[in-house]
Amino acid sequence: MDQMKILFVEDVATDVEMARRELKKERIAFIDRVVDTEKDFEQALAVFQPDLIISDYAMPAFDGMRALTMARAQFDHIPFIVLTGSMNEETAVSCMKAGADDYVIKEKIKRLPFAVQEVLDKVQMAKEKERAENQLRESEEKYRILVENAGQVILVAQNGQIKFINSRVRDLLGYGPEEMLGRSFTEYIHPEDRETVANRHMQRVQGQDLPEGYTFRVVHRQGQTKWAEVNAVVIDWLGKPATLNFLTDITDRQDLENQLRQAQKMESVGRLAGGVAHDYNNMLSVIIGYTELALKETEPSDALHEDLQEILRAARRSSDITRQLLAFARKQTVDPQVLDLNEVVEDMLKILRRLIGEDIELAWRPGKDVWPVKMDPAQLDQILANLCVNARDAMTAGGRMSIQTGTVTFDQAYCAEHVGFVPGDFVLLGVSDNGCGMDEQIRKHIFEPFFTTKDRSKGTGLGLATVYGIVKQNQGFINVYSEPGVGTTFKIYLPGHLSPDVEKSKKKTDDDVSHSRGELVLVVEDEVSILKVTTRMLTRLGYTVLEATTPGRALELAREHAGQVHLLITDMIMPEMNGRDLADQLQALYPKLRVLFMSGYTDDVIAHCGILEPAVHFMPKPFSSQDLARKVREALEG
Ligand code: ADP
Ligand code: MG
């Protein structure tokens, strides 16, 4: 304050003068006004706006107490000192009661400057206190706004007890902060994660160096499990160590991640299964081939004949299993065609009804104007058969099943929430049953190969793995809805093929076994046992055979040979050179040379697209001598 403004309320001029002198002596800087009537006083309050009032008690035209009342009616507290010649104890007390800040007796006027100073200090302090209080209130308000509007749950825990928590917790747990204060946070944690979280809290408080963030599960008031990510630091909370925790609800993210991890797991299991199945297939080719040859050498009356038949049956059954594995691993060669899904299902209905038996009612609900799909009809048959057999197995005492088709479109929003889905137009194939259903624990694993809940005699655990593989190979998706005791629905979505040229699904007819017309066949295969059995089959069919275990040897043989080589039968994948390149080189020597490829699966070379060009002749392993006979004729004549 540069110059203080003092308002004197005094009728005696000499008294004012005396007061001024005393104040100046103590180096108090001020300007002043003097009034001695109510009217002037009122005006001075409004216009002069004094910082301090020094007032006489009794005056001829005005009254000190009245002045005090008027001053107090003002909005601001103006310090008020009574300066009087005649003051007894009683008047002093009533002055102070009325709100005067101090009183000074004229005989002791020397005390005035000190009284003024004291009063001013007191006022100053009161003002500062008020300002501090305002600031505190304001900062508390800001802090409350920040904490309550934070996107995370903010929690302070001390000795395992919740000392502070913001209301964000309502979204995460369904409880309000007031219910949770003082309780143990572990109450809200999923039982399986409780110990971990409690230990971390303790270790952190004890000063151990832990990573700041981790995730755990909590249980919502309504019972559902949610995922929280916590970031924690140690703080000092009212003199004792505590943890400050920021919790984020990551339930949605976690669900997506789990789905993704599952998809990746399926991918790698598939690759493994595919590799095993491929090697296994080669061996099966040999077993089937020799058994067939041996069968032809034995009379049906021979005891050995029956045994050989059994070996052949077992080998064929094994080859069905490997075919399923390969389908799952997406390594089966496929022959996609544009198909009308409703037609394929209708063609299959009779077989499906036989498959599921008479106790089960099968309803067929074809969708209207279902788009065509482009895929191998045999794969669709496989999907339908697997789903129907599973549905049958799920229904012990009869039941109801339905197959439905339709058309759906997935938008961006749907795909954002469903791992593996992409936007677009899809054809739906749904198979439902009212059987035993599945719980969450089973549902998680059903697409894994070899996962089964059935007896060894009944289930292989390959059915759904196969379905999954086929659906993925065709860029489709699969969804399962199931409830224990209620039933199950599998929904398969296949990309719609928007072209009108729907072909009739080709029914392959078994030609009579075709024999040789004396052609020369060059067989190239690095697996010697397969080479041998193929050669023997061909020789039996009447072909002349040149055999080579490497492409290099094959080229040599071809160059040495004088006459025409009619057909090359070659493995696709060989160490030196792939079958495709070998065929190209040989065709340079013999332009009329026909080619038949064989493979356990079409790996790198043609399976980049996973699909064969229609003009290429291909024979999947394992094959029977009948298959071979027919394929060789097709390749030579087609
Ligand atoms: P498998 O039929 O050989 O057991 P799958 O891969 O076809 O192998 O099926 C795996 C498991 O999924 C089954 O063992 C069964 O527990 C469950 N499952 C499949 N389909 C259904 C269904 N429609 N209802 C109930 N459970 C099913
Ligand atoms: Mg099955």
Side-chain angles (χ1 to χ4, degrees):
M1 205 185 300
D2 29 23
Q3 271 211 325
M4 181 174 39
K5 295 190 275 185
I6 299 178
L7 179 60
F8 287 105
V9 187
E10 180 62 77
D11 58 321
V12 186
T14 52
D15 284 358
V16 172
E17 203 41 54
M18 209 159 61
R20 281 182 184 136
R21 199 169 339 116
E22 288 305 321
L23 291 170
K24 278 181 185 148
K25 252 200 252 171
E26 291 301 327
R27 303 185 189 287
I28 293 176
F30 65 92
I31 54 169
D32 66 56
R33 282 292 146 81
V34 185
V35 294
D36 62 353
T37 65
E38 182 171 330
K39 200 170 144 254
D40 288 350
F41 179 72
E42 195 173 11
Q43 202 195 1
L45 280 183
V47 178
F48 180 57
Q49 294 187 343
D51 301 310
L52 171 69
I53 299 167
I54 298 175
S55 171
D56 197 0
Y57 186 69
M59 289 158 287
F62 198 20
D63 169 2
M65 282 296 98
R66 174 78 192 132
L68 179 57
T69 316
M70 286 169 67
R72 285 291 165 267
Q74 290 276 336
F75 177 69
D76 269 339
H77 179 105
I78 307 172
F80 196 104
I81 295 173
V82 179
L83 178 65
T84 173
S86 56
M87 180 149 286
N88 56 30
E89 208 168 319
E90 217 172 298
T91 44
V93 169
S94 64
C95 279
M96 297 305 280
K97 266 193 179 158
D101 293 286
D102 206 348
Y103 65 88
V104 176
I105 299 165
K106 283 181 181 164
E107 287 98 80
K108 294 189 177 163
I109 189 94
K110 285 206 180 314
R111 204 180 78 79
L112 182 66
F114 304 102
V116 166
Q117 200 54 56
E118 221 170 86
V119 166
L120 289 177
D121 286 351
K122 210 172 84 191
V123 169
Q124 188 64 24
M125 256 167 60
K127 273 191 184 150
E128 259 160 32
K129 189 167 162 235
E130 195 185 321
R131 192 168 346 117
E133 275 170 3
N134 280 341
Q135 262 174 5
L136 184 65
R137 207 170 305 125
E138 200 176 296
S139 99
E140 267 178 3
E141 178 65 11
K142 279 184 195 158
Y143 154 85
R144 201 190 58 79
I145 291 171
L146 287 178
V147 167
E148 293 307 324
N149 292 298
Q152 291 168 310
V153 175
I154 301 176
L155 175 144
V156 175
Q158 196 171 51
N159 300 327
Q161 253 189 4
I162 300 172
K163 293 291 179 186
F164 174 85
I165 191 154
N166 65 348
S167 49
R168 260 305 124 131
V169 73
R170 234 182 270 277
D171 301 336
L172 182 68
L173 294 175
Y175 299 95
E178 62 293 341
E179 305 171 75
M180 297 180 70
L181 275 184
R183 305 189 77 109
S184 159
F185 188 69
T186 45
E187 283 179 38
Y188 306 95
I189 296 173
H190 190 281
E192 284 169 29
D193 291 351
R194 251 173 225 170
E195 209 182 306
T196 321
V197 178
N199 283 343
R200 290 229 182 187
H201 170 73
M202 285 235 310
Q203 290 166 342
R204 206 182 291 283
V205 171
Q206 284 162 3
Q208 290 188 33
D209 201 15
L210 295 175
E212 265 184 35
Y214 62 99
T215 58
F216 61 88
R217 286 162 295 176
V218 292
V219 183
H220 189 273
R221 179 175 229 151
Q222 246 106 55
Q224 67 268 43
T225 299
K226 291 181 140 198
W227 280 93
E229 183 178 73
V230 62
N231 278 283
V233 287
V234 178
I235 54 163
D236 181 81
W237 183 260
L238 310 177
K240 283 194 203 126
T243 55
L244 169 61
N245 305 274
F246 294 91
L247 297 163
T248 315
D249 186 345
I250 56 160
T251 311
D252 293 347
R253 199 204 310 165
Q254 203 71 14
D255 284 352
L256 274 178
E257 263 174 32
N258 282 341
Q259 287 178 41
L260 193 65
R261 216 170 297 134
Q262 184 64 15
Q264 282 164 346
K265 187 159 114 195
M266 297 292 293
E267 197 61 47
S268 45
V269 172
R271 226 170 289 132
L272 183 69
V276 173
H278 175 243
D279 292 344
Y280 193 57
N281 242 355
N282 276 340
M283 292 304 108
L284 280 175
S285 302
V286 179
I287 295 170
I288 291 173
Y290 278 112
T291 312
E292 282 181 341
L293 289 170
L295 267 171
K296 287 187 177 126
E297 307 285 330
T298 51
E299 291 300 321
S301 55
D302 199 331
L304 209 53
H305 195 85
E306 190 50 37
D307 295 351
L308 287 169
Q309 288 279 357
E310 281 307 316
I311 293 174
L312 193 60
R313 258 196 289 278
R316 287 208 173 116
R317 223 163 26 236
S318 308
S319 115
D320 283 343
I321 294 175
T322 40
R323 202 164 25 250
Q324 293 209 321
L325 265 180
L326 285 171
F328 166 71
R330 277 168 264 162
K331 287 192 167 151
Q332 200 183 28
T333 41
V334 290
D335 180 11
Q337 295 162 28
V338 179
L339 301 168
D340 177 342
L341 186 58
N342 285 347
E343 231 170 69
V344 176
V345 177
E346 258 149 46
D347 284 349
M348 273 288 278
L349 278 179
K350 225 161 115 190
I351 299 175
L352 294 176
R353 288 217 162 92
R354 212 166 44 219
L355 214 58
I356 59 178
E358 283 161 3
D359 304 352
I360 295 165
E361 203 182 295
L362 172 62
W364 161 226
R365 298 204 192 90
K368 262 202 182 138
D369 302 324
V370 172
W371 291 317
V373 289
K374 186 166 185 182
M375 69 185 287
D376 188 329
Q379 289 191 324
L380 265 177
D381 293 352
Q382 237 174 331
I383 293 179
L384 279 165
N386 273 310
L387 294 182
C388 289
V389 168
N390 281 345
R392 176 199 66 193
D393 293 347
M395 296 184 284
T396 36
R400 279 197 316 277
M401 253 190 78
S402 74
I403 302 178
Q404 101 192 74
T405 56
T407 303
V408 280
T409 302
F410 294 130
D411 58 12
Q412 288 287 354
Y414 184 88
C415 298
E417 286 183 5
H418 294 79
V419 168
F421 279 59
V422 296
D425 300 324
F426 291 87
V427 175
L428 162 73
L429 172 64
V431 176
S432 305
D433 65 67
N434 66 347
C436 61
M438 293 170 259
D439 60 21
E440 175 66 22
Q441 215 43 42
I442 291 179
R443 211 180 52 71
K444 268 199 239 165
H445 298 291
I446 53 173
F447 295 115
E448 291 168 15
F450 305 115
F451 174 83
T452 180
T453 55
K454 298 170 193 171
D455 288 3
R456 292 187 84 173
S457 61
K458 247 187 148 185
T460 58
L462 286 174
L464 289 176
T466 307
V467 171
Y468 181 89
I470 293 173
V471 171
K472 282 288 151 200
Q473 184 176 44
N474 289 284
Q475 279 91 45
F477 318 113
I478 187 161
N479 253 350
V480 194
Y481 308 89
S482 188
E483 219 159 307
V486 179
T488 306
T489 296
F490 282 89
K491 284 193 173 171
I492 287 165
Y493 301 96
L494 299 163
H497 183 81
L498 300 177
S499 133
D501 54 337
V502 180
E503 298 162 30
K504 295 282 166 206
S505 44
K506 283 185 218 150
K507 286 271 174 292
K508 282 168 193 131
T509 51
D510 262 1
D511 300 335
D512 294 340
V513 175
S514 338
H515 284 269
S516 145
R517 316 228 156 100
E519 290 95 340
L520 184 104
V521 183
L522 171 57
V523 184
V524 191
E525 162 68 64
D526 58 334
E527 184 70 53
V528 178
S529 49
I530 292 184
L531 179 66
K532 288 269 171 283
V533 74
T534 312
T535 306
R536 277 193 60 181
M537 286 174 177
L538 288 167
T539 316
R540 270 193 72 102
L541 290 164
Y543 294 96
T544 313
V545 183
L546 293 176
E547 45 176 34
T549 52
T550 63
R553 179 74 190 130
L555 286 166
E556 258 174 50
L557 282 176
R559 280 194 204 102
E560 286 163 10
H561 184 72
Q564 173 69 18
V565 179
H566 300 93
L567 176 68
L568 167 71
I569 301 180
T570 179
D571 193 19
M572 286 302 304
I573 321 290
M574 290 170 295
E576 292 165 22
M577 189 188 290
N578 68 49
R580 169 67 54 90
D581 292 344
L582 175 64
D584 288 347
Q585 293 202 20
L586 285 173
Q587 271 169 335
L589 287 174
Y590 298 97
K592 286 207 196 116
L593 179 74
R594 298 304 184 92
V595 184
L596 171 60
F597 293 109
M598 56 184 172
S599 181
Y601 58 88
T602 57
D603 211 311
D604 328 41
V605 192
I606 31 178
H608 260 320
C609 39
I611 291 164
L612 286 166
E613 294 155 35
V616 174
H617 295 281
F618 179 84
M619 183 167 57
K621 289 185 216 169
F623 47 83
S624 67
S625 54
Q626 265 202 5
D627 294 335
L628 180 66
R630 196 178 58 241
K631 283 285 180 183
V632 167
R633 275 332 311 161
E634 272 175 25
L636 282 168
E637 286 156 24

